[in-house]
Amino acid sequence: MMPDQQIFDPLPVELMPDPTRTMIRPFLPEDPTGFEQQVPRPQRIAERVAALSDAQVAALCEAMEEPLAARAANPEEVLLDRYRAACRRFDLPATDRARQVVIGGYFAQEYAFESAALFNPSIVRHHDQGGTAPDEARITLSLRGIGEGHISSVTFRTGLWRPGGPLTIDPADRRAVTPRIEEEDGDTIHFSWPPETDASAAVLFPATPSQRQGIEDMRMTTFTDDDGSVRHFATYTAFSGSDARSEMLEMTHLDRFTLRPLTGRCVQNKGMALFPRRIDGRFAMIGRLDNENIWLMYSDDPYRWDKAEIIVRPAFAWDLVQMGNCGSPIELDEGWLLLTHGVGMIRSYSMGAVLLDKADPSKVLARTAEPLLSPSPEESGGYVPNVVYSCGALVEDRTMLLPYAVADRYTAFGTAPVERILAAMG
């Protein structure tokens, strides 16, 4: 951002991709087309392991588990899960626990889930504010990690922020944990993480065909219903490699979650973001159905969206190609503050904002004619050059904390008084 336009004050905190953080993902070799055999390849591999001597099996367990234990929590249980998953698809030999672990090891792969990029952050207040001072807020971040093959997953961080003061991000747990799937009902998955799992250890890796190539750009929302009850939602994009669709995560307990696809005529494209409360008794959502404009949707069901209207169109040089949201709307006394992204020349992504009427968000009260944040010359290079982008910000004490992606590679942070942001609107 040019000095005479600076809205956000940079913080001396960055989150960089880390190739040393790994997780255990499925690996299931199969016969290539034209070379299929009557006995499937995974079954043949399992039968070879079953035929090994006890001494060989013990040596393989020792060689595999010791190094994995430094980088993965409960590696033996993870490998047993890989064995059980293969059993559900193939007729594997019944064998002892040690051989099951080894077979699971042949059906697993260590994967550096954030080796290439760690970006497109979202932020909410942590559900547990115990132990914080009155002027502090414990935060939770979601981030998109990219590893080999451009596969996206979601990872998390926690930290502590004092508006007008420092931001501290807690060190990441070195041992990543993928969720334990408890039930699958069609496209709906119920899962949990082991008790006491640190947020930074939790990794959401693609688990369904719709997510095969990635879980992208999570937008977290703390939702307060009309009766005062609180739910935690997060919309994201599931990418199969050819098709993208919107899905949503709901926290049903502190360590239990549900993933479900969104349905309806308006669930198209990317970047859906849920309002943090009902409007006139209905759920409300921001989206970009046509990949050009910002749309507003209402529904009685947070998982089905059938009606929408355009509320913001491209109007300025920095957003003439397309617009979209940068997270859920933030409720202020003045209205709903919605951070936006715009695409301009050289496919450059910048960030702006609009202010929507609190009672009727279809009414735009003001918007920024110039970007609040644009790629600087120092930040122009990266995984995808000329991009600044966010999936959500947090306002505390009339100060905004904005985590944002730089060049689709790493995450930076800035703060700004709400008054400064509102003053930048026409």
Side-chain angles (χ1 to χ4, degrees):
M1 172 168 279
M2 299 301 292
D4 61 342
Q5 298 175 318
Q6 184 161 319
I7 302 295
F8 286 94
D9 300 317
L11 295 177
V13 179
E14 294 178 344
L15 297 177
M16 305 296 293
D18 184 353
T20 69
R21 299 193 72 213
T22 64
M23 52 159 285
I24 299 174
R25 62 170 290 191
F27 169 69
L28 206 60
E30 298 183 358
D31 292 315
T33 302
F35 292 87
E36 298 89 349
Q37 298 186 31
Q38 185 173 0
V39 177
R41 189 173 179 187
Q43 184 176 334
R44 301 197 306 267
I45 294 170
E47 289 172 351
R48 293 169 194 154
V49 174
L52 296 174
S53 69
D54 290 348
Q56 289 174 309
V57 169
L60 287 172
C61 282
E62 182 179 354
M64 176 174 53
E65 290 182 356
E66 185 174 346
L68 283 182
R71 300 187 295 275
N74 302 316
E76 183 174 304
E77 286 300 319
V78 174
L79 299 181
L80 286 170
D81 281 345
R82 298 271 55 80
Y83 169 80
R84 295 174 191 131
C87 284
R88 290 193 288 269
R89 292 185 55 188
F90 304 99
D91 184 19
L92 302 190
T95 187
D96 59 88
R97 181 183 177 90
R99 283 175 172 76
Q100 291 177 14
V101 171
V102 173
I103 292 170
Y106 282 102
F107 297 153
Q109 173 189 356
E110 198 170 7
Y111 183 77
F113 55 90
E114 59 175 65
S115 57
L118 187 65
F119 66 123
N120 289 7
S122 175
I123 184 172
V124 292
R125 285 176 63 95
H126 194 281
H127 64 268
D128 182 4
Q129 293 294 314
T132 59
D135 61 344
E136 294 178 329
R138 183 161 296 283
I139 61 169
T140 298
L141 291 161
S142 68
L143 302 117
R144 177 179 169 187
I146 290 185
E148 176 193 358
H150 199 80
I151 297 175
S152 296
S153 57
V154 177
T155 182
F156 302 89
R157 297 286 193 280
T158 55
L160 194 67
W161 176 49
R162 180 180 291 113
L167 167 68
T168 303
I169 303 298
D170 300 325
D173 195 313
R174 304 311 304 170
R175 301 188 301 168
V177 181
T178 52
R180 178 183 300 130
I181 295 177
E182 299 177 344
E183 182 184 352
E184 293 185 62
D185 180 13
D187 285 335
T188 300
I189 298 178
H190 304 277
F191 68 92
S192 66
W193 274 288
E196 309 303 322
T197 297
D198 186 84
S200 68
V203 180
L204 272 180
F205 191 77
T208 68
S210 68
Q211 304 166 355
R212 182 176 291 109
Q213 196 62 29
I215 300 174
E216 303 178 355
D217 302 348
M218 181 166 281
R219 288 161 163 81
M220 299 189 295
T221 310
T222 300
F223 183 88
T224 303
D225 220 326
D226 290 345
D227 61 3
S229 62
V230 175
R231 287 187 276 178
H232 302 276
F233 291 103
T235 51
Y236 61 91
T237 300
F239 184 50
S240 68
S242 57
D243 299 308
R245 77 177 188 185
S246 294
E247 300 183 350
M248 189 153 68
L249 177 149
E250 180 178 356
M251 180 189 287
T252 53
H253 192 268
L254 291 183
D255 61 353
R256 289 178 173 81
F257 302 80
T258 299
L259 294 179
R260 290 176 57 184
L262 300 181
T263 61
R265 292 190 296 273
C266 299
V267 184
Q268 302 178 41
N269 221 297
K270 302 181 178 183
M272 298 185 72
L274 189 68
F275 278 70
R277 65 170 175 84
R278 295 177 190 253
I279 309 293
D280 269 344
R282 294 179 294 171
F283 294 95
M285 183 85 79
I286 292 291
R288 56 171 206 185
L289 280 67
D290 57 1
N291 201 27
E292 183 177 9
N293 305 291
I294 294 178
W295 296 67
L296 173 66
M297 294 163 261
Y298 288 106
S299 177
D300 294 322
D301 179 351
Y303 290 94
R304 184 170 185 87
W305 303 88
D306 286 309
K307 295 181 180 179
E309 61 176 313
I310 296 174
I311 59 171
V312 187
R313 301 175 185 271
F316 306 108
W318 61 276
D319 66 15
L320 289 183
V321 175
Q322 71 183 49
M323 298 191 68
N325 71 73
C326 284
S328 293
I330 299 170
E331 188 168 10
L332 305 175
D333 292 338
E334 295 86 349
W336 294 103
L337 178 61
L338 176 66
L339 294 179
T340 66
H341 71 261
V343 181
M345 292 190 297
I346 321 296
R347 198 176 176 268
S348 177
Y349 276 67
S350 300
M351 292 178 57
V354 299
L355 186 68
L356 308 176
D357 186 83
K358 189 178 291 193
D360 181 4
S362 67
K363 297 178 180 178
V364 178
L365 304 180
R367 65 187 288 187
T368 53
E370 299 293 334
L372 297 176
L373 192 66
S374 296
S376 69
E378 296 78 17
E379 299 171 336
S380 62
Y383 197 66
V384 179
N386 303 310
V387 172
V388 290
Y389 191 88
S390 179
C391 292
L394 180 66
V395 170
E396 294 278 332
D397 259 350
R398 300 286 289 183
T399 300
M400 176 178 286
L401 172 60
L402 174 68
Y404 64 96
V406 177
D408 277 12
R409 181 170 178 267
Y410 68 94
T411 295
F413 296 84
T415 62
V418 166
E419 281 69 26
R420 191 188 296 170
I421 296 172
L422 296 177
M425 297 185 179

